[in-house]
Amino acid sequence: MPITSSITETNVFTVLRAFILTIVTCEVIRLPNNRTPMPLGAFVAMSPGANIPLSTNVTAYAATTKGVERASQLSIQIDCYGPGSADMATAISTLLRDPYACDQFSASGFDIAPLYAGDAHQMPLVDGEAQYEERWTFDAVLQFNPILTAPQDSAIALVANIYDVDRTFPP
């Protein structure tokens, strides 16, 4: 039996993307994507950052498996490009600090929640044509609590036999 996780990094990005799409009307993508051109016009890009443990392991046992949970903090860089990127970045970072985000993440069914978001700041990008592209960026920090399920040896019934030996214990 392979080890499985109740929440993957892909799940975290999918939930964050769904949240962002409630705020913006442009494309929302995950970076890095090698050999893939950036979308034209306004768009939002998400890039993974640090994955930091927030707790020690909590283990629960079942008949043939054990679950190992460790709360983790995932930092994701949010980059907003194109016309209106300052407004998009401000709206996303503001709502990540609001109960609105908690409700959206909770509705996903995954144990993922926003912790905090940084302040949006401008970070221009020089493109391949040596032109400046408008970009506003900030970090979104989320908590997710994956449970890894691993096989566990167990017994449902044991048979104990008594054998006579020519020994006295203690010797």
Side-chain angles (χ1 to χ4, degrees):
M1 172 180 161
I3 295 174
T4 60
S5 180
S6 63
I7 305 171
T8 64
E9 184 182 83
T10 299
N11 297 138
V12 176
F13 275 90
T14 301
V15 170
L16 178 59
R17 181 177 185 272
F19 165 75
I20 293 172
L21 285 171
T22 67
I23 302 167
V24 301
T25 57
C26 61
E27 192 170 353
V28 179
I29 63 170
R30 179 176 174 180
L31 293 178
N33 288 329
N34 288 326
R35 301 175 194 258
T36 303
M38 290 188 164
L40 297 175
F43 69 96
V44 176
M46 306 175 296
S47 304
N51 186 342
I52 301 167
L54 295 175
S55 69
T56 57
N57 293 354
V58 175
T59 305
Y61 296 92
T64 59
T65 62
K66 73 176 187 175
V68 181
E69 180 179 9
R70 184 184 76 182
S72 298
Q73 171 183 305
L74 182 62
S75 177
I76 299 173
Q77 181 176 317
I78 307 293
D79 295 319
C80 299
Y81 292 87
S85 57
D87 294 334
M88 286 190 297
T90 300
I92 297 166
S93 68
T94 299
L95 289 174
L96 274 168
R97 301 171 182 167
D98 190 79
Y100 173 78
C102 297
D103 293 341
Q104 295 294 316
F105 280 72
S106 179
S108 75
F110 289 103
D111 193 2
I112 305 170
L115 290 177
Y116 60 91
D119 296 321
H121 58 279
Q122 187 178 35
M123 186 172 267
L125 172 74
V126 178
D127 65 18
E129 290 77 31
Q131 299 295 308
Y132 284 96
E133 299 288 338
E134 187 173 358
R135 173 176 68 167
W136 283 75
T137 186
F138 67 93
D139 285 339
V141 182
L142 310 175
Q143 178 175 340
F144 67 111
N145 305 311
I147 300 172
L148 299 174
T149 302
Q152 172 67 38
D153 289 337
S154 64
I156 296 173
L158 294 175
V159 176
N161 292 319
I162 300 174
Y163 295 98
D164 284 334
V165 293
D166 294 332
R167 292 271 185 189
T168 303
F169 293 96

